[in-house]
Amino acid sequence: MSLSDYSGARQGVSEADYMPIGQLRALQLERLQGLVRHVYERVPLTRRRMDERGVRPEHIRSLEDIALLPFMMKSDLRDEYPFGLFASPQEEIVRFHCSSGTTGKPIVIGSTQGDIRVWQEGCMRALAMCGVTREDVVQVAYGYGLFTGGLGLHYGAEGLGCAVLPISGGNTERQLMLMRDFGVTVIACTPSYFLHLVDEGMKRGIDFRRDMRLRHGVFGAEPWTEAMRGKIEQLTGITAHDIYGLTEISGPGVANDCPHRRGLHVFEDHFYPEIIDPDTLEPLPDGERGELVFTTLTRRGTPMLRYRTRDLSLIHSEPCPCGRTIRTFERISARTDDMLIIRGVNLFPSQIETALLSVDAVLPHYHIFVSKAGDLDMLEIKVEVTAQTLSDDIKSLENLRARIAHAIQRVINISAKVTLAEPHSLPRSEGKLCRVTDLRNG
Ligand code: DLL
């Protein structure tokens, strides 16, 4: 099958999801070869790096040959800001998106009409995998604008024929009112913002099970654990789905989990995944954990060759009972740059989340503070509990704090100070929530 006769997704069902593996690999190779030629001819940085390695486009004869190609990283996008990595002329670019870093200039990606279609197809396939249909009313509460969440889910849902409520992030009062009045059945936002909505709803006497028609949540853009998923489902009765993506690769709709929850299916006919060892940069076989790397097989605006995401995962190649042949990767619970080193021990915020949520009385709102006392790293976890719990006698509260501290110690092997906080007292976010404050460096 060639690029030109590939039909894409109809009603979110793509033939590529179920393609025999051999045919899928042949399609990927054909696309990879086309991509490498396209980039080599148009992106000076990549051409220079390939020339330095003595690699030319015609050396890519199998999918394994992808390992001959240089990696791309966020710093390349920064260094080449704004348009140095563009591989299509300005008149073919129809959209810009940016992802802000913590400092300095943002990174910019440009999309052609074709890129936008592929992105929309990814989001349609993702939503269809969640069980969303044209009967659904979809509230898109991801931010619209330079962030890809809002527009990505918007076009995906509209492509499926859903009724879309493009409310963007924020204005919680109005979100809740419209969700109820419009009979919204699907919410798309970050999991932390959804928890905020639930929380604010409860304050106003709204019971999500009784007062809302919500069935599905399409959650992503930040790490969230299986324990958090359980908490959300238990609180609201909805099914919480995991959608993954990143600006550099297009936006949401790079991968999504199916009802079997064996990991996230990658739309690998467009986004070719690899796992590499982040230290040696060597490719790792399926089943081994490392850094997720993507090659955008069909993007033409700002294509990415072997883009290092910093997200940690592993690829499963066993068949999924849903029948899709595209591979899955394990849910992202950590990024290489999220890792905290406390008293010489490496740990990820997601480990703390899992520990906290294993204790019954704990609400899914917490914040991690890291500081120094002399030379010693100190870890403090503030976690919200219900007002009723807080009104318990001192002994019960001490007991609860000890249970939480013990759960944390068991998982991360480090002692932490636990502070019980009032409901609604810790930071909330309309978008991605930062759950860590590290006060060690100034
Ligand atoms: O967050 C795109 C997106 C929007 C994905 C809406 C899903 C839903 P960026 O702002 O470029 O793009 O951030 C990408 O967010 O490398 C991961 O570290 C993290 N991330 C995205 N989805 C998930 C997820 C959007 N489902 C970065 N689970 C990625 C865990 C996620 N982390």
Side-chain angles (χ1 to χ4, degrees), residues 74 98-100 107 142 147-150 153 189-191 218-224 241-255 264 307 309-311 331-335 337-338 432:
K74 197 165 228 143
C98 294
S99 142
S100 50
I107 58 119
Y142 285 113
F147 176 57
T148 53
L153 269 302
C189 61
T190 58
V218 185
F219 301 130
E222 64 185 11
W224 56 305
H241 306 271
D242 193 1
I243 186 167
Y244 171 88
L246 59 164
T247 317
E248 298 86 326
I249 303 304
S250 70
V254 170
L264 308 187
Y307 183 74
T309 64
R310 302 274 177 203
D311 293 323
R331 298 184 66 207
I332 309 292
S333 55
R335 290 175 54 81
D337 41 13
D338 270 353
K432 296 176 192 266

Side-chain angles (χ1 to χ4, degrees), residues 230-285:
K231 205 81 176 177
I232 290 175
E233 294 188 333
Q234 176 206 331
L235 276 171
T236 60
I238 68 167
T239 305
H241 306 271
D242 193 1
I243 186 167
Y244 171 88
L246 59 164
T247 317
E248 298 86 326
I249 303 304
S250 70
V254 170
N256 200 85
D257 61 358
C258 77
H260 296 277
R261 297 189 172 176
R262 302 258 180 116
L264 308 187
H265 284 281
V266 199
F267 303 119
E268 58 170 319
D269 46 322
H270 294 297
F271 313 114
Y272 186 77
E274 293 174 85
I275 296 283
I276 60 159
D277 179 322
D279 299 321
T280 65
L281 306 185
E282 287 304 316
L284 294 174

Side-chain angles (χ1 to χ4, degrees), residues 425-438:
S425 62
L426 296 176
R428 306 288 200 263
S429 166
E430 293 168 6
K432 296 176 192 266
L433 179 61
C434 173
R435 294 191 186 270
V436 180
T437 305
D438 193 338

